[in-house]
Short mmCIF file of all heavy atoms in Angstrom, two decimals:
data_model
loop_
_atom_site.label_atom_id
_atom_site.label_comp_id
_atom_site.label_asym_id
_atom_site.label_seq_id
_atom_site.Cartn_x
_atom_site.Cartn_y
_atom_site.Cartn_z
N ILE A 1 -3.83 0.32 -8.89
CA ILE A 1 -2.42 -0.09 -8.86
C ILE A 1 -2.30 -1.59 -8.97
O ILE A 1 -1.53 -2.12 -9.78
CB ILE A 1 -1.75 0.40 -7.56
CG1 ILE A 1 -1.69 1.94 -7.55
CG2 ILE A 1 -0.35 -0.20 -7.41
CD1 ILE A 1 -1.07 2.49 -6.28
N PHE A 2 -3.07 -2.33 -8.15
CA PHE A 2 -2.99 -3.79 -8.13
C PHE A 2 -4.20 -4.34 -8.87
O PHE A 2 -5.30 -4.39 -8.34
CB PHE A 2 -2.99 -4.29 -6.68
CG PHE A 2 -1.89 -3.70 -5.84
CD1 PHE A 2 -2.16 -2.69 -4.93
CD2 PHE A 2 -0.59 -4.14 -5.96
CE1 PHE A 2 -1.16 -2.15 -4.16
CE2 PHE A 2 0.43 -3.60 -5.19
CZ PHE A 2 0.14 -2.60 -4.29
N GLN A 3 -3.98 -4.79 -10.10
CA GLN A 3 -5.07 -5.28 -10.92
C GLN A 3 -5.20 -6.79 -10.85
O GLN A 3 -5.97 -7.39 -11.60
CB GLN A 3 -4.88 -4.82 -12.36
CG GLN A 3 -4.84 -3.30 -12.49
CD GLN A 3 -4.69 -2.83 -13.91
OE1 GLN A 3 -5.00 -3.56 -14.86
NE2 GLN A 3 -4.22 -1.61 -14.10
N ASN A 4 -4.44 -7.41 -9.96
CA ASN A 4 -4.50 -8.86 -9.80
C ASN A 4 -5.78 -9.24 -9.07
O ASN A 4 -6.00 -8.84 -7.92
CB ASN A 4 -3.28 -9.34 -9.01
CG ASN A 4 -3.20 -10.85 -8.93
OD1 ASN A 4 -4.16 -11.54 -9.26
ND2 ASN A 4 -2.07 -11.36 -8.49
N PRO A 5 -6.68 -10.00 -9.69
CA PRO A 5 -7.93 -10.35 -9.02
C PRO A 5 -7.78 -11.39 -7.92
O PRO A 5 -8.74 -11.70 -7.22
CB PRO A 5 -8.79 -10.91 -10.17
CG PRO A 5 -7.78 -11.49 -11.11
CD PRO A 5 -6.58 -10.56 -11.05
N ASN A 6 -6.57 -11.94 -7.74
CA ASN A 6 -6.39 -12.99 -6.74
C ASN A 6 -6.25 -12.46 -5.32
O ASN A 6 -6.16 -13.22 -4.36
CB ASN A 6 -5.15 -13.82 -7.08
CG ASN A 6 -5.33 -14.57 -8.38
OD1 ASN A 6 -6.42 -15.03 -8.69
ND2 ASN A 6 -4.27 -14.68 -9.17
N GLY A 7 -6.20 -11.13 -5.16
CA GLY A 7 -6.21 -10.57 -3.81
C GLY A 7 -4.82 -10.31 -3.25
O GLY A 7 -3.91 -9.92 -3.96
N ASN A 8 -4.67 -10.55 -1.96
CA ASN A 8 -3.47 -10.17 -1.24
C ASN A 8 -2.24 -10.94 -1.72
O ASN A 8 -2.27 -12.16 -1.82
CB ASN A 8 -3.66 -10.41 0.26
CG ASN A 8 -4.85 -9.68 0.83
OD1 ASN A 8 -5.19 -8.60 0.38
ND2 ASN A 8 -5.50 -10.28 1.82
N PRO A 9 -1.12 -10.24 -1.99
CA PRO A 9 0.11 -10.95 -2.37
C PRO A 9 0.67 -11.74 -1.20
O PRO A 9 0.62 -11.30 -0.04
CB PRO A 9 1.05 -9.81 -2.77
CG PRO A 9 0.55 -8.62 -2.05
CD PRO A 9 -0.94 -8.79 -1.97
N TYR A 10 1.19 -12.92 -1.49
CA TYR A 10 1.65 -13.83 -0.44
C TYR A 10 2.74 -14.72 -1.00
O TYR A 10 2.55 -15.35 -2.05
CB TYR A 10 0.45 -14.67 0.03
CG TYR A 10 0.73 -15.65 1.14
CD1 TYR A 10 0.43 -15.33 2.46
CD2 TYR A 10 1.27 -16.90 0.88
CE1 TYR A 10 0.65 -16.24 3.49
CE2 TYR A 10 1.51 -17.82 1.89
CZ TYR A 10 1.20 -17.49 3.20
OH TYR A 10 1.43 -18.38 4.21
N ILE A 11 3.89 -14.74 -0.37
CA ILE A 11 4.97 -15.66 -0.75
C ILE A 11 5.39 -16.43 0.49
O ILE A 11 5.67 -15.83 1.54
CB ILE A 11 6.18 -14.90 -1.33
CG1 ILE A 11 5.80 -14.14 -2.60
CG2 ILE A 11 7.31 -15.89 -1.63
CD1 ILE A 11 6.95 -13.36 -3.21
N GLN A 12 5.44 -17.76 0.37
CA GLN A 12 5.82 -18.61 1.50
C GLN A 12 6.96 -19.53 1.08
O GLN A 12 6.94 -20.14 0.02
CB GLN A 12 4.63 -19.45 1.95
CG GLN A 12 4.95 -20.41 3.09
CD GLN A 12 3.75 -21.22 3.51
OE1 GLN A 12 2.63 -20.74 3.51
NE2 GLN A 12 3.99 -22.48 3.83
N ASP A 13 7.98 -19.60 1.93
CA ASP A 13 9.11 -20.49 1.70
C ASP A 13 8.94 -21.71 2.60
O ASP A 13 9.51 -21.79 3.68
CB ASP A 13 10.42 -19.75 2.01
CG ASP A 13 11.65 -20.61 1.71
OD1 ASP A 13 11.48 -21.69 1.11
OD2 ASP A 13 12.76 -20.20 2.10
N ASN A 14 8.13 -22.67 2.12
CA ASN A 14 7.81 -23.86 2.89
C ASN A 14 7.40 -23.47 4.32
O ASN A 14 6.51 -22.65 4.50
CB ASN A 14 8.99 -24.83 2.89
CG ASN A 14 9.26 -25.38 1.50
OD1 ASN A 14 8.32 -25.70 0.78
ND2 ASN A 14 10.53 -25.49 1.13
N GLN A 15 8.05 -24.02 5.33
CA GLN A 15 7.72 -23.70 6.71
C GLN A 15 8.68 -22.68 7.32
O GLN A 15 8.57 -22.34 8.49
CB GLN A 15 7.72 -24.97 7.57
CG GLN A 15 6.75 -26.03 7.12
CD GLN A 15 5.31 -25.57 7.21
OE1 GLN A 15 4.92 -24.92 8.18
NE2 GLN A 15 4.51 -25.89 6.20
N SER A 16 9.63 -22.19 6.52
CA SER A 16 10.69 -21.35 7.08
C SER A 16 10.34 -19.88 7.13
O SER A 16 11.03 -19.11 7.80
CB SER A 16 11.98 -21.54 6.29
OG SER A 16 11.81 -21.12 4.95
N GLY A 17 9.30 -19.44 6.42
CA GLY A 17 8.96 -18.04 6.48
C GLY A 17 7.92 -17.65 5.46
O GLY A 17 7.64 -18.39 4.51
N LEU A 18 7.32 -16.49 5.66
CA LEU A 18 6.32 -15.97 4.74
C LEU A 18 6.36 -14.45 4.74
O LEU A 18 6.80 -13.81 5.69
CB LEU A 18 4.92 -16.46 5.08
CG LEU A 18 4.27 -16.02 6.41
CD1 LEU A 18 3.60 -14.66 6.29
CD2 LEU A 18 3.26 -17.05 6.89
N ALA A 19 5.90 -13.88 3.63
CA ALA A 19 5.70 -12.44 3.51
C ALA A 19 4.32 -12.22 2.92
O ALA A 19 3.89 -12.95 2.01
CB ALA A 19 6.77 -11.81 2.62
N MET A 20 3.60 -11.24 3.44
CA MET A 20 2.23 -11.02 3.02
C MET A 20 1.93 -9.53 3.04
O MET A 20 2.44 -8.79 3.89
CB MET A 20 1.26 -11.75 3.94
CG MET A 20 -0.21 -11.56 3.59
SD MET A 20 -1.30 -12.42 4.76
CE MET A 20 -1.05 -11.44 6.24
N GLY A 21 1.11 -9.08 2.12
CA GLY A 21 0.63 -7.71 2.11
C GLY A 21 -0.88 -7.70 1.99
O GLY A 21 -1.45 -8.51 1.26
N ILE A 22 -1.54 -6.81 2.70
CA ILE A 22 -3.00 -6.71 2.66
C ILE A 22 -3.39 -5.60 1.70
O ILE A 22 -2.93 -4.46 1.83
CB ILE A 22 -3.58 -6.44 4.05
CG1 ILE A 22 -3.31 -7.63 4.97
CG2 ILE A 22 -5.09 -6.17 3.97
CD1 ILE A 22 -3.80 -7.45 6.38
N ILE A 23 -4.23 -5.93 0.71
CA ILE A 23 -4.77 -4.95 -0.23
C ILE A 23 -6.22 -4.67 0.16
O ILE A 23 -7.09 -5.50 -0.04
CB ILE A 23 -4.69 -5.47 -1.68
CG1 ILE A 23 -3.24 -5.70 -2.09
CG2 ILE A 23 -5.37 -4.49 -2.63
CD1 ILE A 23 -3.08 -6.27 -3.49
N SER A 24 -6.45 -3.51 0.75
CA SER A 24 -7.79 -3.13 1.19
C SER A 24 -7.99 -1.65 0.90
O SER A 24 -7.14 -0.82 1.27
CB SER A 24 -7.96 -3.40 2.69
OG SER A 24 -9.21 -2.93 3.15
N ASP A 25 -9.09 -1.30 0.25
CA ASP A 25 -9.37 0.10 -0.03
C ASP A 25 -9.56 0.90 1.25
O ASP A 25 -9.22 2.08 1.30
CB ASP A 25 -10.63 0.23 -0.88
CG ASP A 25 -10.40 -0.26 -2.31
OD1 ASP A 25 -9.23 -0.30 -2.74
OD2 ASP A 25 -11.38 -0.59 -2.99
N GLY A 26 -10.11 0.26 2.27
CA GLY A 26 -10.34 0.95 3.53
C GLY A 26 -10.56 -0.04 4.66
O GLY A 26 -10.84 -1.22 4.42
N VAL A 27 -10.42 0.43 5.88
CA VAL A 27 -10.56 -0.42 7.06
C VAL A 27 -11.50 0.27 8.04
O VAL A 27 -11.39 1.48 8.26
CB VAL A 27 -9.19 -0.66 7.74
CG1 VAL A 27 -9.36 -1.49 9.01
CG2 VAL A 27 -8.23 -1.36 6.77
N TYR A 28 -12.43 -0.49 8.63
CA TYR A 28 -13.29 0.04 9.68
C TYR A 28 -13.62 -1.08 10.64
O TYR A 28 -13.42 -2.26 10.34
CB TYR A 28 -14.56 0.67 9.11
CG TYR A 28 -15.52 -0.30 8.46
CD1 TYR A 28 -16.56 -0.87 9.19
CD2 TYR A 28 -15.38 -0.65 7.12
CE1 TYR A 28 -17.43 -1.77 8.59
CE2 TYR A 28 -16.24 -1.54 6.52
CZ TYR A 28 -17.27 -2.10 7.26
OH TYR A 28 -18.14 -2.99 6.67
N GLY A 29 -14.13 -0.74 11.80
CA GLY A 29 -14.46 -1.77 12.78
C GLY A 29 -15.35 -1.23 13.89
O GLY A 29 -15.69 -0.05 13.94
N GLY A 30 -15.72 -2.14 14.80
CA GLY A 30 -16.54 -1.78 15.93
C GLY A 30 -18.01 -1.62 15.57
O GLY A 30 -18.42 -1.86 14.44
N ASN A 31 -18.82 -1.21 16.54
CA ASN A 31 -20.23 -0.95 16.30
C ASN A 31 -20.74 0.05 17.33
O ASN A 31 -20.11 0.29 18.38
CB ASN A 31 -21.05 -2.24 16.33
CG ASN A 31 -20.94 -2.97 17.65
OD1 ASN A 31 -21.49 -2.55 18.67
ND2 ASN A 31 -20.19 -4.09 17.65
N LEU A 32 -21.90 0.62 17.04
CA LEU A 32 -22.46 1.66 17.90
C LEU A 32 -22.85 1.13 19.27
O LEU A 32 -22.71 1.83 20.28
CB LEU A 32 -23.67 2.31 17.22
CG LEU A 32 -23.38 3.13 15.96
CD1 LEU A 32 -24.67 3.66 15.37
CD2 LEU A 32 -22.42 4.27 16.27
N LEU A 33 -23.33 -0.10 19.33
CA LEU A 33 -23.77 -0.66 20.62
C LEU A 33 -22.62 -0.77 21.60
O LEU A 33 -22.80 -0.57 22.81
CB LEU A 33 -24.42 -2.02 20.40
CG LEU A 33 -25.75 -2.04 19.64
CD1 LEU A 33 -26.25 -3.46 19.47
CD2 LEU A 33 -26.79 -1.18 20.35
N ASP A 34 -21.45 -1.09 21.12
CA ASP A 34 -20.28 -1.20 21.98
C ASP A 34 -19.54 0.13 22.14
O ASP A 34 -18.56 0.22 22.88
CB ASP A 34 -19.30 -2.24 21.44
CG ASP A 34 -19.87 -3.65 21.53
OD1 ASP A 34 -20.77 -3.86 22.37
OD2 ASP A 34 -19.42 -4.53 20.76
N GLY A 35 -19.99 1.15 21.41
CA GLY A 35 -19.37 2.46 21.52
C GLY A 35 -17.98 2.55 20.91
O GLY A 35 -17.21 3.43 21.30
N ASN A 36 -17.67 1.67 19.97
CA ASN A 36 -16.33 1.68 19.37
C ASN A 36 -16.36 1.72 17.85
O ASN A 36 -15.40 1.32 17.19
CB ASN A 36 -15.53 0.47 19.84
CG ASN A 36 -16.16 -0.85 19.42
OD1 ASN A 36 -17.29 -0.90 18.95
ND2 ASN A 36 -15.42 -1.95 19.60
N ALA A 37 -17.48 2.20 17.27
CA ALA A 37 -17.61 2.26 15.82
C ALA A 37 -16.64 3.28 15.23
O ALA A 37 -16.35 4.32 15.84
CB ALA A 37 -19.04 2.61 15.43
N THR A 38 -16.12 2.99 14.07
CA THR A 38 -15.21 3.91 13.39
C THR A 38 -15.72 4.23 11.99
O THR A 38 -16.57 3.52 11.44
CB THR A 38 -13.80 3.30 13.24
OG1 THR A 38 -13.82 2.27 12.23
CG2 THR A 38 -13.31 2.73 14.57
N ASN A 39 -15.21 5.30 11.44
CA ASN A 39 -15.42 5.58 10.03
C ASN A 39 -14.48 4.72 9.20
O ASN A 39 -13.62 4.02 9.74
CB ASN A 39 -15.17 7.06 9.74
CG ASN A 39 -16.22 7.96 10.35
OD1 ASN A 39 -17.40 7.61 10.41
ND2 ASN A 39 -15.79 9.13 10.81
N ILE A 40 -14.64 4.77 7.88
CA ILE A 40 -13.74 4.04 7.00
C ILE A 40 -12.42 4.79 6.91
O ILE A 40 -12.38 5.97 6.58
CB ILE A 40 -14.34 3.89 5.59
CG1 ILE A 40 -15.64 3.08 5.65
CG2 ILE A 40 -13.35 3.21 4.65
CD1 ILE A 40 -16.37 2.99 4.32
#
């Protein structure tokens, strides 16, 4: 869908505000040692 190689879309109006979207195929976190590992 998003073929832009520059990554996440981001528009900023000087210091008055911003809008951002994260483009990520999947999200995961944690690790087995801490007992909080997740799948993708």
